[in-house]
Amino acid sequence: MVIVPLKEAVADTCGGKAGALGALLRAGLPVPDGFVVSFDAYLAAVRDLDLGRITGEPDDLDAARRLIEARPVHATVIDALGRALDALGDPPVAVRSSAATEDTTQASAAGQHESFLAVHGAGEVADAVRACWASLFSPRAIGYRGALGRDDQPSADLVMAVIVQRHLDAEVSGVMFTPADPDDATEIEASWGLGPRIVEGRVTPDAYRVAENGPVTRTVADKRTRLDRRGTRLVIRDVPAHTRGRPTIDDAIATRLATLGKEIAAVLGGPQDIEWAIVDGRIWVLQARPVTAAPPPPAPPAGASDTSAAALTGTPGSHGTVTGTARIVRGPGDFARVRPGDILVCPFTDPAWTPLLRIAAGVVTETGGVLCHAAIVAREHAIPAVLGIPNATSRLHDDTIITIDGTTGTVTPANA
């Protein structure tokens, strides 16, 4: 079956991401309606490409990506997409990967495959579906699997389904981690506009902790930019100065989110990493996957430790302490300068930077929250990370020795 209603999706035919959303819809939870282009459609599309002969070598994997990108989506799939979109009312949609190997208890593959927002029309959706298929063999997905020791996974075993859902023009978006112990706090991050700015670590979000039967604590960030839809385009806008430091949600909404998180965890059978959005005051669930590596606890208040006065302080992102050479990386043009054991110091790390995490000893960013994709991947790779240190790329210097403590959220130059 090429097209599966999202409410009927299960992991065996539609991947872990779609399977989780299907389970939540069947439980009556607020998930945007949509459908799934199943594994069968992908397998039919690549059947005569003989991907089984592709080895784990990077050149071969890149060849597989280029083969898929060059293959037009079959007319029967485009027709099926058109009918399914018409049944939704032909709105703008989100097109998101749902691979067999992502959103599992062992590996999140957070941000490693393609996703698209504000897509409209069967032809554009078909192009996005094909891009999701090809992203199985993107450099970042290859690097992620390699770092987890899965370089030799046969290409024939890699399959991709694709979720197509009604696009939501979110006023506020965020991420929530439900606790493993019910007595622990739910961690929530939130910012203005659409969610990619948060999950890609391009904005430092507000952070909330909702304790069981206890108070809500918050840290309000300076949220300078937001992402919104304009027609079929996504636009980055400056947040007005008077709004940047305003809390995105109040305590009542944070508590409602935590309660919803518990319901989701109960349906899916364990702690969950949940992406959510608020539209016209209503909370929607966009994604839920198992928490693969819990974040460190919040840093102690300023002055509560004996940290050196010269240390820079940010958000604890991934446990551990490491000393190494600072490598200032402002974009892909700097990738070739990174050597094994370097500590990345960068404005942010979007998913395309994942191959660097295979060789880096640690990560320091200027923006981002503890629940963003880079922090999740760093924890899965057991790499210390400190996030949200303003102007870190100018305050730290290339080729100098620094020590980062991802548990306390501090970065200390060797000469401090």
Side-chain angles (χ1 to χ4, degrees):
M1 191 173 181
V2 172
I3 301 293
V4 177
L6 185 55
K7 193 171 185 177
E8 298 175 13
V10 294
D12 287 348
T13 58
C14 298
K17 187 181 297 180
L21 292 176
L24 297 180
L25 273 170
R26 292 190 292 273
L29 295 176
V31 174
D33 196 14
F35 56 88
V36 186
V37 184
S38 70
F39 290 157
D40 285 347
Y42 168 81
L43 292 170
V46 304
R47 184 169 293 127
D48 62 344
L49 296 182
D50 193 19
L51 294 184
R53 65 179 171 77
I54 300 290
T55 71
E57 294 298 316
D59 286 348
D60 266 6
L61 293 168
D62 189 60
R65 177 183 57 79
R66 288 185 279 107
L67 283 170
I68 295 170
E69 288 176 337
R71 173 63 56 91
V73 177
H74 198 277
T76 58
V77 176
I78 296 178
D79 288 344
L81 287 172
R83 291 192 298 273
L85 289 167
D86 286 343
L88 288 178
D90 196 25
V93 292
V95 181
R96 309 178 73 193
S97 68
S98 183
T101 53
E102 68 181 318
D103 289 7
T104 70
T105 55
Q106 291 79 38
S108 68
Q112 302 313 304
H113 304 119
E114 291 289 2
S115 292
F116 303 90
L117 300 180
V119 185
H120 187 254
E124 295 297 322
V125 171
D127 289 344
V129 167
R130 181 177 56 201
C132 287
W133 289 342
S135 69
L136 275 172
F137 304 101
S138 68
R140 71 192 193 219
I142 294 165
Y144 177 83
R145 292 193 296 267
L148 294 179
R150 298 178 180 178
D151 297 84
D152 58 352
Q153 186 169 15
S155 298
D157 290 348
L158 297 171
V159 291
M160 173 73 77
V162 182
I163 303 166
V164 180
Q165 284 178 286
R166 191 181 302 276
H167 173 99
L168 298 181
D169 290 322
E171 297 140 16
V172 177
S173 298
V175 185
M176 167 170 54
F177 271 35
T178 67
D181 184 337
D183 292 331
D184 289 342
T186 298
E187 305 280 351
I188 300 171
E189 293 183 343
S191 194
W192 306 116
L194 301 175
R197 300 297 286 179
I198 300 174
V199 298
E200 292 175 2
R202 294 173 185 257
V203 64
T204 300
D206 296 341
Y208 300 79
R209 285 175 58 85
V210 183
E212 179 71 13
N213 299 320
V216 175
T217 60
R218 68 171 74 167
T219 301
V220 179
D222 183 26
K223 304 166 290 296
R224 293 176 173 266
T225 61
R226 60 181 289 160
L227 184 70
D228 294 288
R229 179 178 70 91
R230 183 176 296 164
T232 56
R233 295 188 303 117
L234 299 178
V235 295
I236 299 169
R237 299 189 295 156
D238 290 335
V239 175
H242 69 276
T243 306
R244 291 176 182 174
R246 200 178 81 200
T248 42
I249 59 175
D250 60 22
D251 289 0
I253 293 176
T255 301
R256 282 170 54 198
L257 280 164
T259 300
L260 178 60
K262 291 177 186 176
E263 294 179 49
I264 293 168
V267 170
L268 298 179
Q272 296 294 304
D273 167 0
I274 300 160
E275 294 180 21
W276 54 269
I278 296 176
V279 182
D280 295 329
R282 184 178 181 185
I283 298 171
W284 293 90
V285 179
L286 307 181
Q287 178 176 304
R289 62 181 167 218
V291 173
T292 52
S305 69
D306 59 359
T307 300
S308 164
L312 309 182
T313 301
T315 300
S318 179
H319 287 286
T321 302
V322 67
T323 298
T325 301
R327 186 66 58 212
I328 309 301
V329 179
R330 293 189 171 89
D334 293 325
F335 285 8
R337 301 176 51 249
V338 179
R339 297 289 179 265
D342 284 351
I343 296 174
L344 304 182
V345 181
C346 41
F348 59 88
T349 58
D350 73 18
W353 298 35
T354 298
L356 297 182
L357 300 184
R358 191 173 182 180
I359 63 173
V363 181
V364 179
T365 71
E366 295 181 329
T367 61
V370 69
L371 308 185
C372 73
H373 287 160
I376 293 169
V377 173
R379 291 194 292 272
E380 290 179 345
H381 295 351
I383 299 169
V386 178
L387 313 171
I389 295 182
N391 304 313
T393 59
S394 57
R395 296 166 72 185
L396 298 169
H397 303 289
D398 211 41
D399 282 320
T400 59
I401 302 301
I402 60 174
T403 297
I404 73 170
D405 187 333
T407 305
T408 63
T410 57
V411 179
T412 308
N415 59 359

